[in-house]
Amino acid sequence: MTHAPQQSTTTTHPTTEGIDMTRTDITFPSGETTCAAWHYQPESAENPGPIIVMGHGLGGVREERLDAFAERFAAAGYACLVFDYRYFGASGGEPRQLLDVKSQREDWKAAVAFARTLPTVDPDRVVVWGTSFGGGHSIVTAAQDKRIAAAISQCPFTDGLASGTTMSPITSAKVMTRAIRDVVAARLGRAPVMIPTYGAPGSTALMTSPDAVAGVEALMPPGATYPKGVPARIALQIPVNFPGREAKNVTCPLHVAVCERDTVAPPKPTQRYAAQAPRGEIKLYDAGHFDIYVGEWFERNVTDQLDFLARHVPVA
């Protein structure tokens, strides 16, 4: 089935820099359904110009601070396509909240392909931007698509085994037990066995670092009530997923933002992988995994990303 892209809502408002832009709700086809996205277009942007394709992390949706990054990029003259993975947010697909590595990477390819069809976009100046779990996807996408102009990978998940060591053995056993139950349920056609994406230390959740609860909730808009659980089967995919290994195959400029106190995506493997990228640039922050989305760390982080963009994919 072919799904035609749709535009449903357009709003114009000033960015933090006082620059007018439009943010359009739009959909594009991916797999058996459609992904929902925001298309940011600065009023004074170069035409055709570059675009930044942006995707979130583990169970994340656009509303969790991706708009803050996109507004800063749009203020600098960059169009942005900020999408939700299928099964999440406003995107289609069943079962809801299904977190699957293969389908998410297909969504990245579909988002990039769709971005290249937009009339205001130079198809040879597409930038991929991913954070956390999506940071690994952006590395893989850039490695596989040699037409990508540049890539940004923020506090990325790069090494499944290393991330697994951040969880206590007892918690890991509980998570894996639930994951096996979910796989069995799926094969029997039953409802998914869900697991929270985050929780307090010692709880049965995918992220249980001491800063996970406060960190995730700091990203949510006030009053947000959307679900934060996923089918537990993803826990069987994470330990065998090593997107950082693809960094050596990323031939475009690659910016990797590494949090040195990251207790979700361990920084040492990420630094090792990023150092193998032919045109890799590593920025270190004395911060935790969730810190660079908000406050002073956000300002430092986004400023460094804008500098990277200006040097490698400048706006006329």
Coordinates of all heavy atoms in Angstrom, one line a residue, residues 134 172 193 269 294:
G134 N 18.4 6.6 19.4 CA 18.4 7.2 18.1 C 19.8 7.6 17.6 O 20.1 7.7 16.4
S172 N 18.5 -7.3 35.7 CA 18.7 -7.9 34.4 C 17.9 -9.2 34.2 O 17.2 -9.4 33.2 CB 20.1 -8.1 34.1 OG 20.3 -8.7 32.8
V193 N 3.5 -8.2 26.5 CA 3.9 -8.0 28.0 C 4.8 -6.8 28.0 O 5.8 -6.7 27.4 CB 4.6 -9.3 28.5 CG1 5.1 -9.0 29.9 CG2 3.8 -10.5 28.3
P269 N 33.1 3.1 25.5 CA 32.9 2.4 24.2 C 32.5 3.4 23.1 O 33.0 3.3 22.0 CB 31.8 1.4 24.4 CG 31.8 1.2 25.9 CD 32.2 2.5 26.5
V294 N 18.7 19.9 28.6 CA 18.1 21.0 29.4 C 19.1 21.9 30.0 O 20.3 21.5 30.2 CB 17.1 20.5 30.5 CG1 16.0 19.7 29.9 CG2 17.9 19.6 31.5

